[in-house]
């Protein structure tokens, strides 16, 4: 449900247009210096920058720590961090009850919850709920001080050259459309031996969290789908020293589900934002007809831009949990 | 660890070359007719066929039900199914302690368990442990009588034409090498509304289980990585009737992590078998030198052939669990 | 840790003297009418009444719903309810770092968390954290509309006659001392068949939660410890009709860990409040000597008075979770 | 359900009169010497001794390790231990379908599982399933080499003098009746700091497991129910040295749910065996009448005798899990 993790356990709550949202993080070791300002760098990466491809909706996204900190350090008790919602335009969403947006959660949420779900801005399905994951990711990184994370958008709208990304996005915006992208995360410095057979392989736990990030439709580790096109003699990573360093890293730092001490490498496919300004033909449940739908509201033309730090957070959370379990 | 699932919970145990292995399945509704013969069809799909690309090691793979059945039906109590190991050649594996196989679990398992792991045939990391998953998958399908599963190898060694698969594999065998492949699973008939926000999306739970299957390095749903190269206007699936049918199915039957009533579609990338007959240069921890390694034992040149039914089982287990949770 | 439950899952956070505290409740079915006022009756029962035996510290205990409600009804998404801390006198607790209070969590918490725990008012170990349990209990009761709960203090300071309770407590207050008590909870209307073998018996799940309530040191069901002194022929509850009604109810409504449709009956032993005004001789870790300790602050002479509704809440939470699992 | 534990996780399966039963234990640290003979001492304590008060049904109770051991030591992979059922007289139980035994699981199990449960000998509700707990307890003790367990029957049929126990039981047997008893467990040597707030207090986790043991109806720690009759000044345990030793141990070694380094002390109330040879009047669901029932089969007149080691095992399992979590 809305909790994940064995020893580093996070619980998300909140909606896009309700009072607020946040996260409870349990299992943080005591004695780690922590304050709201520690979340700022990652929250800024997630924030709408106002540039093309990101929503003009701006929120201060001020985290407030409600519990778990004493004299500037974690106490071992659960950390609760909340965000208030402001600047919401709830009236934008009324008409979506009868006329749900294609490829959105609108219709499935209404089915699942007998039309009691908070449909405004996607409610609890909103990408805004990932604010709590970013906070948890920042805490996870503090638990893994020797691990450095590096996250890059390696592809937008099928284009691999970063110099063209802005153009691609601007074209999409002009076309009242959206584009997808591919995010690559690398984590260096994780010791060998992290991950638990059979079901809590590094890939299993990381993908579980990453597929929870809205819009992610694919996850691969190391050579991933390309591995399926290689021969064993090409793909195998020979060990070259007593620390287990491998000559190549097609495995993405993971053998048998366990970290091998080399860099963890994964990629996530982020679909194009479902909310597009362009008119779409889709079923209206009130009229019983396929009818044109124009989505109002403010949206990101390329959600992959803002999802990148969330995917990194998901990886950090997975690694912190497995690290604490394996200790 | 070795358990997975909330309401349909499976626990795997056993090693490749020990006494035996098996699975405990908890949460099966009472009253489902079940006997050992119900596992046979899927076990046969997993079994080495003796054809090119599969290991010459043959096992009867006779499942024995130890508990949970009374008068031919499930009782509501845990089902335990075991398999005995026979036809094992343990001496094949002695030299791998010092000279671990590239891209295998040998070295990480030794690290993680202080050299106490059963290294024979990969021990608990062996693909043989997936016998229990196949059994659990067969039971899961009984819980989902209206869902039909269809699984296809859509690519082997980069080749998409099934008529060429045998040639591709034979070439690999001749070259003392191995090839990877891509498995596609489709599940038709799942009702809308299955899957739990935020962390137990259909994608999250299915990928968690599928990445536990040895050799899987990528998982994607619907258009997956291709979605990242599409525009929203192409990718969005317009609804066309009151049952939620969509004109296209780029989402793979899942919106916001919840099933939408359309066909569930996923693909998994299976790497080439790490055990190849060809000599490899890799580190010998005894000598402290990179030295040639020749892997003895009997192996599959294309493990994707046998992994297909295991990936299907993983999907079935995920859907059965989420179905029982959502009821 | 700080989460409990499979389908009705609660997560507590917060400290006695920090910013605030609260609870996240996941798994609430959608469509249940709910507002802050629904918590008031049970919060009032928990509140210090100002009468003898309860602390003079008074808090408004105003719950605020942060998420999970839309148009006055539950949405199926997690409910987060918070309370702000006010009226705290943190300076009262400084000297307890070196000179921990006997039979309190002071010393074990310092050990466990390397002296990083928030020691003020017991921090996260404070009975104040049970505010979240009371809220969760009120929600649990809404999930079980056909179950009626009745909770009574059946014994205070060894006295069974309720007319003498006030006198007993006043005597303890005058003696700068405290008294314990026994709380009895009854739940009528639970259908037969609730509870899950082997480990999630009604007794197991209920006792797990009730022993989490600070000061509880014993739990018994039905005849409980008295059952150990009976013969089978006296203790057995013969069934007298087709609905499973039993002539007696020595089992407390539970056979084999499963509800049998008769009234659930349990008793919990609440120890005397550890914080007493009377001087105590106990070890001072700074001086290395046994020294007199006088506990300042404001405390309850009979915490059983206020614990009663928390124990009832614990039972309601257990039954709601098992009820949703068993459905 | 049938699994318990976070880091030391046990899964029970099997029935009294089926093929067999057993346990899977996950999370055992690698490298612990272990063989079937390590279970013998505790299995012998659980075994029917043939003395008054224990069933004449004798089983060899031969454990077989199926997985998790290599070269005489644990591997870090799950340990599966099974027992075959022999010497079962299933025909004894046929008539109980219509005419369920008072205070047994017969009727609730039939309700819960729509009459598909294995009713023979209580099926999965049988005390025989605790064989797996005894095995898990023996392993748990190996994880806690510094903790010594001592378990005593302190009361039988209301009698506290052990010299009278045999007489009490013989009288019950002669009267075709049964008696209950009280079991006390003590665990010495557990370090301070074990147990997790808020819900995984030592009391919570231990009581959860102990109440899973059939026939247990009450659990108390330290002074338990007697604490409710004491004043704080009597009950409080002053600390007397820098290691946290307390002058008294009314807390049973637990403050705020956390071990304080003093001896863990608990008592469990075991009800009189429900199966008595004496005729009972109870409802017959076939005839719709209250009718006399005579229970055939072989039963223990004082199940507390054999439950003692199971309760000790439950405590050991709880402490091992919390110990591994807290590390």
């Amino acid at each position: 449900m809305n909790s994940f993790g064995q020893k580093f356990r996070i619980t998300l709550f909140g909606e896009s247009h309700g009072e607020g949202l946040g996260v409870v993080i349990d299992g943080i070791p005591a004695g780690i210096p922590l304050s709201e300002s520690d979340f700022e760098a990652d929250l800024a990466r997630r924030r709408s920058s106002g540039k093309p491809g990101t929503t003009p909706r701006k929120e201060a996204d001020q985290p407030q720590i409600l519990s778990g900190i004493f004299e500037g350090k974690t106490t071992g008790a659960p950390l609760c961090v909340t965000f208030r919602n402001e600047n919401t335009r709830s009236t934008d969403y009324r008409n979506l009850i009868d006329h749900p947006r294609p490829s959105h959660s609108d219709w499935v949420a209404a089915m699942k919850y007998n039309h009691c779900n908070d449909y405004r801005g996607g409610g609890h399905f909103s990408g805004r709920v990932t604010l709590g994951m970013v906070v948890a990711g920042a805490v996870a990184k503090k638990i893994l001080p020797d691990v450095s994370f590096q996250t890059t958008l390696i592809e937008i709208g099928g284009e691999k050259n970063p110099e063209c990304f802005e153009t691609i996005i601007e074209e999409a915006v002009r076309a009242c459309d959206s584009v997808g992208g591919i995010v690559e995360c690398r984590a260096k410095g994780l010791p060998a031996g992290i991950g638990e057979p059979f079901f809590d392989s590094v890939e299993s736990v990381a993908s579980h969290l990453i597929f929870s990030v809205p819009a992610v439709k694919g996850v691969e580790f190391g050579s991933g789908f390309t591995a399926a096109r290689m021969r064993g003699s090409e793909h195998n990573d020979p060990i070259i020293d007593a620390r287990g360093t491998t000559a190549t890293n097609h495995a993405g730092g993971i053998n048998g589900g366990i970290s091998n001490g080399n860099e963890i490498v994964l990629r996530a496919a982020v679909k194009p934002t479902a909310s597009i300004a362009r008119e779409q033909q889709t079923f209206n449940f009130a009229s019983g007809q396929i009818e044109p739908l124009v989505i109002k509201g403010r949206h990101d033309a390329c959600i992959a831009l803002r999802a990148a730090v969330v995917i990194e957070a998901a990886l950090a959370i997975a690694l912190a949990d497995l690290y604490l379990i394996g200790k």
Side-chain angles (χ1 to χ4, degrees), chain A residues 33-102:
Chain A
L34 194 75
S35 72
E36 278 96 346
S37 63
D38 288 302
F39 311 137
E40 181 46 30
D42 282 352
L43 288 174
R45 291 167 62 194
R46 188 194 163 283
R47 202 168 287 144
S48 162
S49 58
K51 282 200 195 155
T54 61
T55 171
R57 174 180 172 186
K58 282 174 201 170
E59 302 249 0
D61 290 347
Q62 279 299 335
Q64 193 198 2
I65 294 177
L66 216 62
S67 69
I69 299 291
F70 181 51
E71 297 179 344
K73 285 186 289 190
T74 58
T75 60
L79 183 82
C80 178
V81 180
T82 61
F83 296 83
R84 294 274 153 184
N85 287 325
E86 300 156 28
N87 189 13
T88 56
R89 294 199 207 153
S90 301
T91 49
D92 287 349
Y93 298 97
R94 280 283 156 81
N95 63 316
L96 304 177
I97 305 174
D98 293 332
H99 207 178
R101 295 169 295 180

Side-chain angles (χ1 to χ4, degrees), chain A residues 246-305:
Chain A
T246 54
T248 49
N249 188 15
H250 296 296
I254 308 163
N255 295 133
I258 312 295
S259 67
N260 65 16
N262 293 277
E263 195 177 36
I264 303 292
V265 183
L266 67 84
R267 278 171 300 282
V270 181
K271 71 174 188 177
T273 320
S275 295
I276 52 176
R278 184 187 287 210
E279 182 182 293
Q280 299 177 80
Q281 295 290 327
T282 194
F283 195 74
N284 186 320
F285 286 76
S287 69
Q289 303 288 331
I290 297 174
E291 290 178 1
L293 171 74
V294 176
I295 301 176
K296 292 171 201 152
R298 299 150 294 173
H299 302 283
D300 297 87
C302 179
I303 195 65
L305 295 172

Side-chain angles (χ1 to χ4, degrees), chain A residues 34-289:
Chain A
L34 194 75
S35 72
E36 278 96 346
S37 63
D38 288 302
F39 311 137
E40 181 46 30
D42 282 352
L43 288 174
R45 291 167 62 194
R46 188 194 163 283
R47 202 168 287 144
S48 162
S49 58
K51 282 200 195 155
T54 61
T55 171
R57 174 180 172 186
K58 282 174 201 170
E59 302 249 0
D61 290 347
Q62 279 299 335
Q64 193 198 2
I65 294 177
L66 216 62
S67 69
I69 299 291
F70 181 51
E71 297 179 344
K73 285 186 289 190
T74 58
T75 60
L79 183 82
C80 178
V81 180
T82 61
F83 296 83
R84 294 274 153 184
N85 287 325
E86 300 156 28
N87 189 13
T88 56
R89 294 199 207 153
S90 301
T91 49
D92 287 349
Y93 298 97
R94 280 283 156 81
N95 63 316
L96 304 177
I97 305 174
D98 293 332
H99 207 178
R101 295 169 295 180
S103 293
H104 252 284
S105 63
D106 297 344
W107 185 72
V108 291
M111 282 301 94
K112 190 171 181 70
Y113 300 113
N114 293 321
H115 292 278
C116 294
N117 62 303
D118 182 351
Y119 53 78
R120 298 169 302 166
H124 185 58
F125 289 83
S126 166
R128 191 160 161 73
V129 175
T130 62
L131 276 170
M133 285 187 80
V134 173
V135 163
V139 176
K141 291 170 194 170
K142 294 231 160 194
I143 292 172
L144 301 164
D146 298 333
V147 180
S148 62
F149 290 85
Q150 197 195 332
T151 295
T152 332
L153 259 161
I154 59 167
E155 213 179 300
I156 283 186
E159 174 60 56
K160 289 186 163 68
N161 182 352
E163 290 178 27
C164 304
F165 287 176
E166 205 166 316
T167 315
I168 295 272
I169 294 167
E170 282 168 351
E171 279 172 16
V173 171
R174 270 199 302 278
C176 295
D177 214 331
S178 64
V179 284
I182 298 180
V183 173
E184 185 176 86
C185 287
R186 292 167 173 272
K188 214 172 197 154
L190 190 74
I194 305 305
E196 300 297 317
F198 197 85
F199 293 115
D200 293 339
S201 71
V202 174
E203 293 107 326
S204 289
V205 176
S207 71
H208 192 134
L209 279 157
I210 294 169
F211 273 120
S212 299
V213 180
V216 171
K217 295 301 279 187
V219 173
E220 61 177 16
F221 295 84
S223 299
F225 277 86
T226 303
R229 290 149 194 153
M230 293 165 83
R231 285 208 171 169
S233 57
E234 298 167 80
H235 181 269
N236 281 358
D237 300 313
I239 299 177
I240 57 171
D241 66 25
R243 291 172 314 167
T245 310
T246 54
T248 49
N249 188 15
H250 296 296
I254 308 163
N255 295 133
I258 312 295
S259 67
N260 65 16
N262 293 277
E263 195 177 36
I264 303 292
V265 183
L266 67 84
R267 278 171 300 282
V270 181
K271 71 174 188 177
T273 320
S275 295
I276 52 176
R278 184 187 287 210
E279 182 182 293
Q280 299 177 80
Q281 295 290 327
T282 194
F283 195 74
N284 186 320
F285 286 76
S287 69
Q289 303 288 331

